[in-house]
């Protein structure tokens, strides 16, 4: 065995030295080095590096275009007021306290509807996603409800609940709950079955299974549903505040419509847009923090 190892090492040294001798010129000088092959650059297929506050570029461009079209007289101020008029009107509404009062009431309605909708949607998704019995009992009716817009149920909800705050919050909560259920349920049922088999092989308890497999696996769908639910809360709010309401941003806009005050209407639309954009940005920030272990194209 020792002789075999010695012969193997010697053969290796000879094989290593052979190319060195073969690479030398007849006069003993080393050959000229070969020209280096140019290194090809890799094509970047991703969306590129994220820019801080880059999502504000689009809205700023829209406002700039609106301002320019208003300044050159392209827009009729009787149909669409310019940004300067809207800012002046918003300042008057703030100084009188009218805008703040209506905004606070609208935020309260949207917040309550979002809270009840998210809670109901998540509970129903967990019940249907982790149990065949829950799936058979809940998924069918909720899929039917998804096909029926919440606003189409307004006449029935008014008949049941009246025209007070309870009806308004219920309409918002229904729209939010359906979005939360669909996305969370889809994320739950999309968990790889191999993780379930691994949890069974490790003999995890039900609580451990939910904490270590179900929750991490369902979080991406939960946040998608939450973003859609936030949008749904604002959409529902716009409608319910124009139905026999006595306060809120929608009520202020409806009153302005009666007097052809387009500047007040645009102030309300801008308020809705700001709240929608800010709430979506807040959900995105929380999602990036909670799901920081993922490497995605979103960055």
């Amino acid at each position: 065995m020792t002789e075999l190892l010695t012969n193997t090492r010697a053969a290796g040294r000879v094989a290593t030295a052979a190319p060195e001798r073969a690479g030398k010129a007849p006069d003993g000088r080393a050959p000229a080095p070969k020209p280096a092959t140019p290194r090809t650059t890799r094509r970047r297929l991703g969306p590129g590096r994220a820019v801080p506050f880059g999502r504000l570029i689009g809205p700023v461009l829209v406002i700039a275009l609106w301002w320019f079209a208003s300044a050159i007289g392209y827009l009729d101020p009787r149909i669409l007021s310019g940004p300067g008029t809207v800012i002046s009107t918003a300042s008057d509404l703030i100084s009188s306290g009218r805008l703040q009062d209506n905004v606070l009431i609208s935020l309260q309605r949207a917040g309550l509807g979002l809270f009840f909708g998210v809670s109901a949607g998540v509970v129903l998704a967990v019940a249907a996603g982790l149990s065949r019995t829950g799936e058979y009992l809940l998924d069918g009716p909720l899929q039917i409800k998804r096909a029926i817009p919440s606003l189409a149920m307004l006449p029935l909800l008014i008949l049941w609940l009246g025209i007070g705050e309870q009806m308004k919050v219920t309409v918002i909560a229904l729209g939010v709950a359906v979005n939360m259920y669909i996305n969370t349920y889809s994320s739950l049922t999309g968990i790889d079955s191999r993780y379930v088999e691994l949890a069974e092989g490790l003999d995890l308890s039900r609580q451990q299974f939910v904490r270590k497999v179900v929750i991490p696996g369902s979080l991406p769908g939960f946040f998608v549903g939450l973003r859609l639910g936030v949008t749904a809360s604002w959409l529902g709010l716009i409608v319910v505040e124009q139905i026999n309401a006595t306060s809120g941003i929608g009520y202020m806009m409806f009153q302005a419509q009666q007097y052809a005050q387009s500047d007040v209407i645009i102030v309300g639309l801008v308020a809705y847009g700001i709240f929608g954009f800010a709430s979506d940005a807040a959900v995105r920030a929380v999602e990036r923090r909670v799901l920081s272990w993922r490497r995605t194209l979103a960055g």
Side-chain angles (χ1 to χ4, degrees):
M1 180 67 70
T2 305
E3 293 176 359
L4 180 61
L5 291 175
T6 306
N7 294 336
T8 304
R9 292 193 188 101
R13 285 194 296 268
V14 170
T16 306
E20 296 178 357
R21 289 194 299 268
K24 290 185 179 181
D27 55 359
R29 291 178 299 176
K34 295 181 180 179
T37 2
R39 185 178 178 181
T40 57
T41 56
R42 290 188 304 173
R43 178 186 297 176
R44 296 183 61 88
L45 301 178
R49 189 183 300 273
V51 178
F53 306 105
R55 298 184 190 278
L56 294 175
I57 296 175
V60 169
L61 289 177
V62 171
I63 294 173
L65 181 62
W66 173 29
W67 207 307
F68 176 74
S70 177
I72 65 176
Y74 184 76
L75 296 178
D76 187 348
R78 294 171 299 178
I79 298 176
L80 182 61
S81 301
T85 307
V86 172
I87 292 174
S88 175
T89 302
S91 177
D92 294 340
L93 291 173
I94 292 173
S95 61
S96 65
R98 183 182 169 193
L99 183 60
Q100 298 94 304
D101 294 340
N102 288 312
V103 163
L104 288 175
I105 293 172
S106 295
L107 287 176
Q108 181 180 0
R109 289 170 180 158
L112 287 173
L114 184 65
F115 172 76
F116 290 122
V118 169
S119 303
V122 170
V123 169
L124 292 172
V126 171
L130 297 183
S131 167
R132 290 296 181 191
T133 304
E135 179 183 10
Y136 297 151
L137 293 177
L138 298 175
D139 189 58
L142 286 166
Q143 295 295 341
I144 294 173
K145 169 59 190 73
R146 183 178 66 155
I148 302 174
S150 299
L151 304 181
M153 300 180 63
L154 269 175
L156 191 60
L157 291 174
I158 291 175
L159 182 63
W160 289 349
L161 305 174
I163 57 174
E165 293 298 312
Q166 189 176 3
M167 181 273 297
K168 295 177 176 60
V169 173
T170 302
V171 171
I172 297 171
L174 283 174
V176 174
V178 171
N179 283 292
M180 288 302 305
Y181 170 80
I182 294 298
N183 289 277
T184 307
Y185 171 77
S186 175
S187 188
L188 278 171
T189 54
I191 295 176
D192 197 326
S193 60
R194 289 174 295 181
Y195 294 126
V196 182
E197 295 171 359
L198 179 61
E200 292 172 349
L202 294 174
D203 200 20
L204 297 183
S205 65
R206 190 71 173 178
Q207 291 78 11
Q208 291 174 323
F209 171 68
V210 170
R211 189 175 68 253
K212 296 183 178 181
V213 177
V214 172
I215 292 179
S218 63
L219 279 178
F222 168 81
F223 279 109
V224 172
L226 185 58
R227 289 181 58 196
L228 294 175
V230 168
T231 304
S233 68
W234 293 113
L235 293 176
L237 180 68
I238 294 173
V239 175
V240 298
E241 285 191 335
Q242 298 185 28
I243 300 175
N244 294 314
T246 57
S247 57
I249 301 176
Y251 168 75
M252 182 182 71
M253 294 169 62
F254 182 74
Q255 292 295 108
Q257 177 195 354
Q258 307 299 319
Y259 301 100
Q261 296 174 321
S262 65
D263 50 348
V264 178
I265 296 175
I266 296 175
V267 169
L269 292 176
V270 170
Y272 279 132
I274 290 174
F275 292 140
F277 187 86
S279 55
D280 183 74
V283 175
R284 283 176 180 270
V286 175
E287 180 183 11
R288 283 195 299 269
R289 187 70 179 268
V290 174
L291 302 180
S292 58
W293 46 271
R294 296 194 311 169
R295 294 180 60 87
T296 62
L297 291 178

